[in-house]
Amino acid sequence: MMETEFQASLEQLRWFVDTHLFNSAGVDYSGEDLSFILNKDMPIDEAAIITAIKDSVGILSDETLVAQHPWVKDVVAELERIKKQKEDALKRMADGWRAAARLGSGWGRGRR
C-alpha cells in the first residue's frame, strides 16, 4: 500500500514540475514518457550492501563490485585509485626487499 501511495505522489510531483516548466519556460514536457521504478528488493542497509559486495569478490568483476558500493560516485576514478594503491604497495614491498638485501641480512635471499 505504501508503495502505491508513493508512486501516486511521484506522479503528482511530475504534474507539478511539468506545469511549472510550461508556465515559466513555455516548454511542455507532459507528453514525455517517464516512469518511476521503485526497487524494493535492494537492501537499504549500507552494511548489508557492503557485506554482499565483499561476499561477491571472485564471483563478479572488480568494476561491477566497485559500481555497486554505496560510497563510490565515480567508478572509473575509484578503479584508478585502487590500481595506483596496488602499484604503490608492490613498489614499497620491492623496495623493502632491496633494502634488506643491501643490509646483508639475508632476508629475501633464500636463507633460513
Side-chain angles (χ1 to χ4, degrees):
M1 182 72 166
M2 185 180 222
E3 180 182 349
T4 306
E5 292 170 356
F6 193 65
Q7 187 81 24
S9 297
L10 288 172
E11 293 296 334
Q12 288 178 352
L13 177 64
R14 183 198 175 183
W15 175 87
F16 174 79
V17 170
D18 286 342
T19 303
H20 173 72
L21 289 173
F22 182 74
N23 290 335
S24 62
V27 181
D28 184 11
Y29 289 105
S30 62
E32 296 293 320
D33 186 29
L34 176 71
S35 59
F36 298 100
I37 300 171
L38 305 175
N39 190 347
K40 58 187 179 192
D41 295 337
M42 294 293 292
I44 55 172
D45 179 13
E46 284 185 352
I49 294 170
I50 293 168
T51 299
I53 291 169
K54 285 175 29 179
D55 291 345
S56 298
V57 171
I59 299 170
L60 299 173
S61 71
D62 289 345
E63 183 175 353
T64 299
L65 297 175
V66 170
Q68 297 304 314
H69 199 288
W71 300 342
V72 173
K73 301 295 182 220
D74 185 345
V75 175
V76 174
E78 186 64 25
L79 289 171
E80 285 297 319
R81 285 190 292 269
I82 291 170
K83 181 181 176 184
K84 184 177 180 333
Q85 182 179 338
K86 287 179 180 179
E87 289 169 352
D88 290 347
L90 285 173
K91 184 181 180 308
R92 282 193 309 273
M93 189 183 335
D95 290 347
W97 281 93
R98 281 193 288 277
R102 277 195 307 273
L103 293 173
S105 67
W107 191 60
R109 292 188 193 175
R111 284 192 188 165
R112 293 178 193 241

